[in-house]
Amino acid sequence: MSGKYLVTGGAGYVGSVVARHLVEAGHSVTVLDDLSTGFREAVPAGAEFIEGRIQEAARWLDASYDAVLHFAAFSQVGESVARPEKYWSNNVGGTMALLDAMRAAGVRTLVFSSTAATYGEPASALLTEADPTAPTSPYGASKLAVDHMITGEAAAHGLAAVSLRYFNVAGAYGSCGERHDPESHLIPLLLQVALGERESISVFGDDYPTPDGTCVRDYIHVADLAEAHLLALAAATAGEHLICNLGNGNGFSVREVVETVRKVTGHPVPEVIAGRRPGDPAVLVASAARAHERLGWQPSRADLEGIVADAWDFARRGHGRENPDD
Ligand SMILES: NC(=O)c1ccc[n+]([C@@H]2O[C@H](COP(=O)([O-])OP(=O)(O)OC[C@H]3O[C@@H](n4cnc5c(N)ncnc54)[C@H](O)[C@@H]3O)[C@@H](O)[C@H]2O)c1
């Protein structure tokens, strides 16, 4: 059955890929995005676009919508440390306004982009949703605050809600891919080196207690992630706030990712060993058991080489600007 969905932040990386999946599945999609970090051309063909802020969502939300998929947020960890007020205002204040607008319009289903950053320093090798949440940045804290807000909204007002806690999202889907400014994610940074836009990659720490001394992270293909959102819409239950980690359950070290980028691009990708960054845990890997069990989600693109190849294809074609409709 086709539905009508509001996708906040649908001009950004993850939101545009999910919006595209929804359009391809035959749903009616409206993207609400203020283009603060997003790109108009990332909004997929077939979706309606509103240039506006989630703080004013009440202007556009009405009872004709079946659900909101909420991606709009600021997400630079370093910036959040320097300017925490910007993160509290947009991520928490903006979501409060969105929840108010949803309640007023009678839109009672929400899928929210939460993050592994809500956990902070991991207490176990394979993180489950039962692990303690102790974020180490205002960004992570703002996302955790929203998770708490949603739990209250579900309990008090019957919202059907799913928070998906993404680990490291990577790869591309057709003309939708990753371009943050400034870029802070490892794979696009490495691809900038391969494209000649950056001289080398900094490896932050090679003395961690991991097999090759570099940090280990869980990379999940953005298209696998998108599929989880469609499953979450179906699984959402009135009065329940379901929280699911989304990762492959496999860790890859920074060094393994660098080697994979060298192999895929054929570029030597020089590396510079830099000191550890404060707050960077040695290993961050998801247990996705709950997402398998509750959403029926199964990633099909877990192979690192495939993830890098898709991201490389997107980066080489001018970050989606060359063939916007392919
Ligand atoms: N990319 C990752 O690896 C990752 C990991 C964990 C969680 N997340 C979360 O997923 C979501 C999407 O991340 P992304 O990487 O696609 O980021 P992005 O910056 O590419 O996309 C965010 C989008 O939200 C829009 N936006 C921001 N504030 C807005 C507002 N007040 N009103 C309307 N639009 C607004 C931006 O213009 C942008 O298009 C974010 O909530 C982020 O915290 C991302």
Side-chain angles (χ1 to χ4, degrees), residues 98-181:
L98 180 66
L99 287 177
D100 286 345
M102 288 178 67
R103 203 181 312 114
V107 180
R108 298 286 66 201
T109 302
L110 174 72
V111 178
F112 170 62
S113 305
S114 188
T115 167
T118 53
Y119 294 111
E121 193 68 38
S124 49
L126 209 56
L127 276 166
T128 74
E129 296 81 358
D131 272 272
T133 44
T136 53
S137 70
Y139 164 65
S142 73
K143 287 281 173 172
L144 182 60
V146 171
D147 273 340
H148 287 310
M149 266 163 51
I150 295 171
T151 302
E153 184 73 20
H157 302 301
L159 186 72
V162 181
S163 285
L164 299 174
R165 289 195 170 150
Y166 315 160
F167 281 61
N168 288 56
V169 191
Y173 184 66
S175 59
C176 300
E178 190 166 14
R179 42 184 170 136
H180 298 111
D181 184 20

Side-chain angles (χ1 to χ4, degrees), residues 12-14 33-34 36-38 54-55 71 90 139 143 180:
Y13 171 40
V14 182
D33 197 300
D34 66 1
S36 50
T37 62
I54 52 171
Q55 286 80 348
F71 302 91
N90 198 42
Y139 164 65
K143 287 281 173 172
H180 298 111

Side-chain angles (χ1 to χ4, degrees), residues 298-314:
Q298 199 60 51
S300 58
R301 304 166 185 87
D303 156 57
L304 183 62
E305 205 171 310
I307 292 176
V308 169
D310 285 353
W312 177 230
D313 196 40
F314 174 74

